[in-house]
Amino acid sequence: MKTIKQKELENKYQFKTDYVKDIKNFKDKILKKTLIPHQVEFQAPPRGKKICWLECPYCYGLSAEDNGERLEKDRGIEILRQILDGGVNKIIFAGYATDPLNCSYISDLLELTIKKKAIFGFNTKALRIEDKFFNILETNNLTEGSYISLSVDAGSNETYNKIHGVKTNTKIYDKVLINAQRLGKIKEKNFFDLSAAYLVNIHSSSEQDYENFILNFMEAGCNLLRFTFPQQPKGIETEKGVIPSEIEKDKYKNTLENLKKKHENDNCSILIVDADTDHDIYNKPRTVPCYARYIFPTVGFDGWLYNCSQSSAPNFRNSALGDLTKENFWELFYQYESNKFQEFEKICNKKINSSGCRCDRKEHVINQNIIDSKIFK
Ligand SMILES: C[S@@+](CC[C@H](N)C(=O)[O-])C[C@H]1O[C@@H](n2cnc3c(N)ncnc32)[C@H](O)[C@@H]1O
Ligand code: SF4
Ligand code: SF4
């Protein structure tokens, strides 16, 4: 039988977790300026000139603008310290168009988060992990709920390169698997959730790949594997099959259901998540009014504070909260007048609508839940 913890983990990866448990309390705290965001996403800047180490053809963030500005190490650490000292107890290291493990000071950010007893989460391709990062995970007390989610999308080197648009024959899948195995070994002694994600599209939809991935990453120590489907990214044309149609998705899901029956066990859940169909958000750009800035504001790689993970690049500065290289986190977070809150909301949502942003699944679901509560009417 699956444990309660395993069930909770499954809910988290199916976008069922409640980010806002008491909506009335949420509103009161916004107005009193005592709200602490549920989590802050920290999109650590890339080490090189290029914004990301891959250019995945399905990536949400491919149209992100890069004006060359980066959040520098000292200021980055200072901002994270402000966030943690102000009471935020969950920091997500992910990206819109970047990868957290491609940042030169990611180990310092991780260490600070752990030392302050906050939960950490990573969404990463994990192409490279420095020894310092492994050591920090191994030698510190980790707060329960911390996780690393590896975005893999393949079960072989060939498919890995195909789905991620890599033109060389480099054996990246093998490298990622070795990193997963190292993480799995640490997790045996110092627990955190280790999961692996697989985006299914025309390039990654062979049964052999699905099964290799399941066997390899289960053996590496993952306690959850999640299959899902790419959503239409903002502002780019994708080739046919990169974003699967409903018919394609149904075909993929059939094969996956059989493999789930064959391989799922009490130590490792296998999820097949089709949130677009479940929540009727296929191709819907955004759900507004938007409450993201109060729930999971996001530090962009350029040092600005944005509403959410999907609107966090210089092309979204018009709807951003402000510039963290000049102002502190909490000043920007509480920069509104409570007695003119409705007016403020209206202006924010106008800017958001004209920014062209596209919600990811959790953002659609959370905004919709708050709208349905009518608490801000
Ligand atoms: C934008 S990436 C940033 C973090 C890191 N670079 C990575 O790839 O894991 C975060 C997650 O979004 C997923 N993703 C990217 N584009 C997507 C899309 N169009 N639809 C659904 N998921 C997408 C990635 O596979 C990854 O799991
Ligand atoms: S999916 Fe991740 S690794 Fe791929 S281009 Fe986007 S941000 Fe970079
Ligand atoms: S992408 Fe969605 S959550 Fe983010 S700012 Fe736009 S409407 Fe809000």
Side-chain angles (χ1 to χ4, degrees), residues 52 56 73 78 80 105 133 143 145 202 224 309 314 333 358:
C52 196
C56 309
K73 179 175 172 180
E78 166 57 22
L80 181 61
Y105 59 89
F133 188 94
T143 301
I202 198 163
L224 185 137
S309 61
F333 185 72
R358 289 190 78 92

Side-chain angles (χ1 to χ4, degrees), residues 147-214:
Y147 74 85
I148 297 183
S149 174
L150 308 170
S151 321
V152 183
D153 314 331
S156 64
N157 287 303
E158 294 70 28
T159 301
Y160 192 97
N161 290 1
K162 219 190 280 170
I163 183 159
H164 298 120
V166 177
K167 301 280 185 296
T168 63
N169 292 325
T170 324
K171 296 190 165 159
I172 307 179
Y173 179 82
D174 290 348
K175 280 193 199 172
V176 176
L177 184 56
I178 290 170
N179 284 335
Q181 289 161 346
R182 272 186 88 176
L183 292 170
K185 280 260 165 304
I186 295 173
K187 174 188 155 253
E188 278 174 18
K189 292 178 245 140
N190 205 9
F191 191 80
F192 58 92
D193 288 313
L194 180 62
S195 67
Y198 193 121
L199 284 176
V200 184
N201 74 8
I202 198 163
H203 298 304
S204 65
S205 56
S206 94
E207 186 168 351
Q208 188 62 55
D209 266 286
Y210 301 153
E211 194 156 30
N212 277 353
F213 164 80
I214 292 173

